[in-house]
Amino acid sequence: GTLVFAGLRVQMGLVAGEILEQRTCQRTGRREYFGPLLNQVARVARAAHGGQVLTNEHTFNCYRQELEDQNIASDDLVAKSLGHYAFKGQLEQEHVLLVGNGGACSARAFPRLKTRKFS
C-alpha cells in the first residue's frame, strides 16, 4: 500500500472565544484557565480520533482572517465539513470541521466522531 501519513496521531480540538477566569496554580506556578470555553474545547478534542484536528466554523473563519490580516498565505489550509454534532453541556449543535492541509483532509478516512450527530 501507499503510505499516506506518518507521524503523531494526536487528537486535537480548536475553539476561539473568551476565557472567563484564569489564575496561578499554587502548587505549580502555572496559569490555569476556567470557563465554558475550556469545557467546549475539551469535548471537541475528545470527539476526535488520533490524527484529527477538529474545530467549528467560527474558529476556522477567525483563524483564516487572522492569517489574511498578517499577509500569511493560507491556500493549503482546508476545512472539511463533518456535519452538525451535539456536545455535552451545550444547548446548541455545533458545525464541526476537520482541519488540515488538502492531503490530510482528503486522503485519510476516519470513523465517525465520538459524539451524537444531528441529521
Side-chain angles (χ1 to χ4, degrees), residues 11-117:
Q11 59 191 66
M12 187 181 298
L14 305 170
V15 179
E18 283 190 51
I19 297 171
L20 297 181
E21 181 184 349
Q22 55 180 308
R23 60 179 176 251
T24 303
C25 176
Q26 297 290 339
R27 187 174 51 82
T28 65
R30 294 182 177 174
R31 298 299 289 168
E32 293 182 317
Y33 303 92
F34 302 91
L37 180 70
L38 280 292
N39 295 333
Q40 181 185 6
V41 74
R43 290 181 177 122
V44 170
R46 207 171 303 129
H49 295 277
Q52 283 185 310
V53 178
L54 302 179
T55 191
N56 59 29
E57 197 168 22
H58 169 74
T59 302
F60 182 76
N61 291 335
C62 287
Y63 183 67
R64 187 176 286 275
Q65 184 62 52
E66 184 68 26
L67 291 175
E68 287 176 16
D69 290 348
Q70 295 183 29
N71 294 318
I72 299 172
S74 62
D75 299 338
D76 202 29
L77 182 63
V78 175
K80 176 182 177 184
S81 175
L82 299 179
H84 290 81
Y85 286 82
F87 292 97
K88 181 181 173 185
Q90 281 186 241
L91 299 176
E92 297 181 21
Q93 57 186 327
E94 193 77 44
H95 184 197
V96 178
L97 305 172
L98 173 65
V99 180
N101 64 23
C105 286
S106 62
R108 296 188 62 198
F110 293 98
R112 79 176 191 82
L113 298 185
K114 299 178 269 186
T115 190
R116 275 192 352 230
K117 184 171 185 176

